[in-house]
Amino acid sequence: MSGRHQLSRPSAGLKRAALPLGALLGVVVAAGATVVALRLWDPAGGCTGELPLYVTAAAAVEPVVKAAADEFHQARPAVNGKCVKVEVRPLNSADVAAEITGPTIPGQKVPALWIPDSALWAQRGKQQVGSSAAPSSVASIEPGQSLASSPLVVVAGPGTGEKLGGAVSWRKVVDGGVATSIGDPAGTTEGLATLMLIRSLLGNTDGTPRPELVAALLRVGRNTMPLVRDGFDKLAGEPETAPAFSATEQSVIAHNRRGVGAKATAFYPEEGTIAFDYPLTRVASREEAPGTGEAAESFGRFLRNESTGKRFRDAGFRDPGGRADQAWADAGVSTNPPSLLPLPTPDQAAEVLRTYSAVTLDARMLAVIDVSGSMAAKAGNGQSRIELARDAAGTALGLLPDTTHIGLWAFSTDHAPNRHWSELVSLGALAEPMAGMNRRAALGAAAATLPGKVKGNTALYDTLLAAVRTVKKDFDSKRVNSVVLITDGANDNRSGLDLNSLVQTLTAEADPAQPVPVIGIGLGPDADLNALQQVAKVTGGKAYAAREATDIRSVLMDALIQRRCRPNC
């Protein structure tokens, strides 16, 4: 479905003044055997009992839908003598999609009508209902016409808005040059839509992530908000320093009308954007009361009439075709139609969420870097291998969130006897204070010293076993525990473990409840990839060959993505 689609304007709907007393609309059902009468106007109040019509709407449109329901009730609509009672509740679209497609819950109020903020959720719900083998109270989900629209924009206050400059792009939002934030992609459509836009710019056409996409997702993941409202709250309290964030155009209008704090400005990225389209979606339940379908159809027509359309415009929404109310000119938004990109498919959304969840998983990682003499050799781009390893560590360090736990070791035979490694920084949270700085700064400083430590031979096997045991000792079940080792050679410590002994020991000590996968990165042509592969196999990790200097970044980003499935990839 494309955000560029033009929907025909619905008819003005049925108006009470034009209806004759006691007008009836006959609806033929069940092969024509039964006629269900829907009374649209009954001033005598002839209906008895209630027919509940449950409607769930995205929070932004709920006030409009609730006001429309109140007006709808004034006509005392009835089906088969029962008074139709519309009950509207606001609920996050992602939560509704999970709720109505999940297992049947006794007493659950399944909405007969659902108005998500994007057709993406309605399509995802329809797909899940059609493919699920689990019993569900929902028989079908049918997305319908949009009731309104609102494009996703970049929102900024006076301080950050000035830094963004005139030409705003999604690339500028994620490149780290300007402080930015997004809503949690797992819980907000704004956050998920932003990820989809980033993926369209930086992802491969086959759906696999490029290193640039992984880096962008890591930067974005460090600054997410549980609710988009948090971005407006920040802007109101700290207008000069509040980060830019993505939100709907309608939410900018609503914020500025409240007049609380600094005025927000909507920026329209030059690459285009995605429109939120609020489709009226019919959810048919297996256990819904007789007449529910007729009541839903009647209220649906009412939601598409001119009176409700005006309510949407007054609330800051564009019409389904993207036309804006010219009265918004001073509301911090543009009334021009923005360039729209196609709405992503449910499968595309699921793929980018999987990638995002992988790269933003909380990790507990021990980085182990070879400082044997051969690491001084040139890597092919003018840098030495140890400088390449240093810079790769710095890249990861700059992208990972403060909650990540990282430690750093250096290893070669040129250390104390029977201990061929040195702990440069202990394993712990990046934000944790230590010696006048936090661990992130300490790791950066320690990594800078690595080129000066190069000497000795490669004590690979003993170091690997010690690293795995160290991580396992204080295993954290809430994080992905792993060892990431970078080396350019083969084990040449003849007084220590051999490969068979290492593999046997790792196999014997493996605990499925406390996995510690080893991610081995072999630099250059002399790295012992066979040994790294055997260790990776028994620990549930992976071995990578970085033959060229340019490979190290791609290898590192892939290793970060693979964390999601370790040790069962």
Side-chain angles (χ1 to χ4, degrees), residues 315-393:
F317 292 93
R318 294 175 181 250
D319 73 10
R323 289 177 291 274
D325 191 324
Q326 295 304 308
W328 299 348
D330 61 347
V333 303
S334 170
T335 56
N336 295 327
S339 175
L340 296 180
L341 300 171
L343 189 71
T345 67
D347 288 342
Q348 289 171 333
E351 178 268 319
V352 78
L353 275 177
R354 283 193 296 269
T355 302
Y356 175 78
S357 66
V359 301
T360 56
L361 275 174
D362 257 348
R364 182 169 174 270
M365 181 194 316
L366 180 57
V368 182
I369 297 180
D370 185 352
V371 290
S372 61
S374 57
M375 288 289 283
K378 294 301 180 182
N381 66 342
Q383 287 185 300
S384 65
R385 293 171 183 170
I386 191 61
E387 288 171 338
L388 203 61
R390 175 201 62 195
D391 292 349

Side-chain angles (χ1 to χ4, degrees), residues 245-481:
F245 59 98
S246 55
T248 62
E249 179 186 70
Q250 185 273 338
S251 66
V252 175
I253 295 172
H255 168 81
N256 289 338
R257 285 177 177 172
R258 285 193 294 269
V260 178
K263 184 177 180 179
T265 299
F267 293 86
Y268 300 78
E270 57 189 11
E271 304 98 335
T273 188
I274 292 173
F276 286 35
D277 54 354
Y278 310 95
L280 181 61
T281 303
R282 173 72 169 105
V283 181
S285 170
R286 303 181 196 281
E287 301 173 0
E288 65 184 24
T292 298
E294 290 72 32
E297 183 180 346
S298 177
F299 185 55
R301 285 196 300 273
F302 196 87
L303 289 174
R304 290 189 291 269
N305 70 18
E306 179 57 32
S307 173
T308 306
K310 184 178 185 305
R311 283 194 173 94
F312 276 113
R313 292 192 298 275
D314 290 345
F317 292 93
R318 294 175 181 250
D319 73 10
R323 289 177 291 274
D325 191 324
Q326 295 304 308
W328 299 348
D330 61 347
V333 303
S334 170
T335 56
N336 295 327
S339 175
L340 296 180
L341 300 171
L343 189 71
T345 67
D347 288 342
Q348 289 171 333
E351 178 268 319
V352 78
L353 275 177
R354 283 193 296 269
T355 302
Y356 175 78
S357 66
V359 301
T360 56
L361 275 174
D362 257 348
R364 182 169 174 270
M365 181 194 316
L366 180 57
V368 182
I369 297 180
D370 185 352
V371 290
S372 61
S374 57
M375 288 289 283
K378 294 301 180 182
N381 66 342
Q383 287 185 300
S384 65
R385 293 171 183 170
I386 191 61
E387 288 171 338
L388 203 61
R390 175 201 62 195
D391 292 349
T395 296
L397 192 62
L399 295 172
L400 295 169
D402 285 344
T403 52
T404 306
H405 287 215
I406 296 184
L408 177 63
W409 284 11
F411 75 97
S412 77
T413 57
D414 197 10
H415 289 265
N418 301 318
R419 183 181 174 90
H420 304 297
W421 58 92
S422 295
E423 180 183 82
L424 304 184
V425 180
S426 61
L427 188 54
L430 287 177
E432 184 179 352
M434 52 186 307
M437 62 181 74
N438 61 22
R439 181 172 273 100
R440 186 187 296 275
L443 284 162
T449 69
L450 289 173
K453 297 181 182 296
V454 172
K455 53 185 173 179
N457 296 322
T458 307
L460 182 61
Y461 302 154
D462 288 347
T463 302
L464 267 171
L465 181 59
V468 171
R469 285 173 171 174
T470 296
V471 174
K472 187 178 293 186
K473 180 181 178 182
D474 297 308
F475 187 89
D476 187 342
S477 60
K478 296 179 181 179
R479 291 179 166 81
V480 179
N481 299 256

Side-chain angles (χ1 to χ4, degrees), residues 30-47:
T34 304
V35 176
V36 179
L38 175 63
R39 187 177 298 275
L40 295 175
W41 176 240
D42 185 3
C47 58

Side-chain angles (χ1 to χ4, degrees), residues 99-351:
E99 179 181 290
I100 64 179
T101 59
T104 301
I105 300 174
Q108 179 182 6
K109 293 182 178 181
V110 177
L113 290 174
W114 173 28
I115 309 171
D117 48 21
S118 172
L120 171 66
W121 297 113
Q123 292 167 1
R124 180 173 174 80
K126 180 178 181 177
Q127 183 185 73
Q128 289 179 326
V129 166
S131 62
S132 176
S136 171
S137 59
V138 173
S140 65
I141 297 177
E142 292 300 330
Q145 288 184 327
S146 298
L147 298 175
S149 67
S150 189
L152 186 73
V153 298
V154 176
V155 184
T160 307
E162 186 176 342
K163 295 177 183 176
L164 284 172
V168 174
S169 67
W170 292 111
R171 286 181 180 272
K172 186 180 291 186
V173 169
V174 300
D175 68 6
V178 177
T180 58
S181 182
I182 69 167
D184 179 4
T188 70
T189 308
E190 294 91 339
L192 177 57
T194 305
L195 287 194
M196 294 305 307
L197 288 162
I198 295 171
R199 182 207 170 279
S200 71
L201 295 171
L202 301 176
N204 290 322
T205 55
D206 64 357
T208 58
R210 286 160 42 192
E212 292 80 6
L213 174 60
V214 177
L217 295 182
L218 280 164
R219 281 193 293 268
V220 167
R222 290 180 60 181
N223 298 290
T224 59
M225 306 174 290
L227 300 171
V228 175
R229 184 179 66 241
D230 298 338
F232 287 105
D233 291 344
K234 189 82 169 177
L235 188 153
E238 303 172 22
E240 295 301 322
T241 58
F245 59 98
S246 55
T248 62
E249 179 186 70
Q250 185 273 338
S251 66
V252 175
I253 295 172
H255 168 81
N256 289 338
R257 285 177 177 172
R258 285 193 294 269
V260 178
K263 184 177 180 179
T265 299
F267 293 86
Y268 300 78
E270 57 189 11
E271 304 98 335
T273 188
I274 292 173
F276 286 35
D277 54 354
Y278 310 95
L280 181 61
T281 303
R282 173 72 169 105
V283 181
S285 170
R286 303 181 196 281
E287 301 173 0
E288 65 184 24
T292 298
E294 290 72 32
E297 183 180 346
S298 177
F299 185 55
R301 285 196 300 273
F302 196 87
L303 289 174
R304 290 189 291 269
N305 70 18
E306 179 57 32
S307 173
T308 306
K310 184 178 185 305
R311 283 194 173 94
F312 276 113
R313 292 192 298 275
D314 290 345
F317 292 93
R318 294 175 181 250
D319 73 10
R323 289 177 291 274
D325 191 324
Q326 295 304 308
W328 299 348
D330 61 347
V333 303
S334 170
T335 56
N336 295 327
S339 175
L340 296 180
L341 300 171
L343 189 71
T345 67
D347 288 342
Q348 289 171 333
E351 178 268 319

